[in-house]
Amino acid sequence: MNDEQLKKLIDGLAEGLVKRIYGVQNIAQENNDMMWYADRDDDHCIGELARLMTLLNLYENREEYEKCHLINKHIKKLEKIVENL
């Protein structure tokens, strides 16, 4: 078995283990970037909430208050969804 075949085998095993351990439904590789998808809706909502809060902080620092207002609307909607889960 050469190095390339060994690397393919190791990558396949690692991907299989990640799927089993974390319950990841889909792992995609493009340009060596891994994309992870949450297997539960509440995990996805919490991740989206974290992303929006990060954007809110960035826009506040840049003093882009119109964007802050729009992001805040989305955050409030998501907070209600997360509370009901």
Side-chain angles (χ1 to χ4, degrees), residues 55-65 68:
L55 285 174
L56 182 64
N57 286 332
L58 288 172
Y59 294 146
E60 283 177 351
N61 289 338
R62 294 180 191 163
E63 297 180 0
E64 297 179 17
Y65 299 115
C68 289

Side-chain angles (χ1 to χ4, degrees), residues 21-63:
I21 292 170
Y22 296 107
V24 176
Q25 294 175 344
N26 188 10
I27 297 175
Q29 279 193 307
E30 291 181 17
N31 301 329
N32 294 327
D33 292 331
M34 294 186 85
M35 294 177 63
W36 297 80
Y37 297 95
D39 59 341
R40 293 178 25 193
D41 287 339
D42 56 339
D43 291 341
H44 179 74
C45 286
I46 291 170
E48 182 67 11
L49 194 56
R51 184 184 76 83
L52 290 173
M53 288 179 168
T54 301
L55 285 174
L56 182 64
N57 286 332
L58 288 172
Y59 294 146
E60 283 177 351
N61 289 338
R62 294 180 191 163
E63 297 180 0

Side-chain angles (χ1 to χ4, degrees), residues 42 77-85:
D42 56 339
K77 287 179 186 177
L78 272 175
E79 284 175 340
K80 287 180 183 177
I81 291 171
V82 169
E83 286 175 5
N84 293 328
L85 289 177

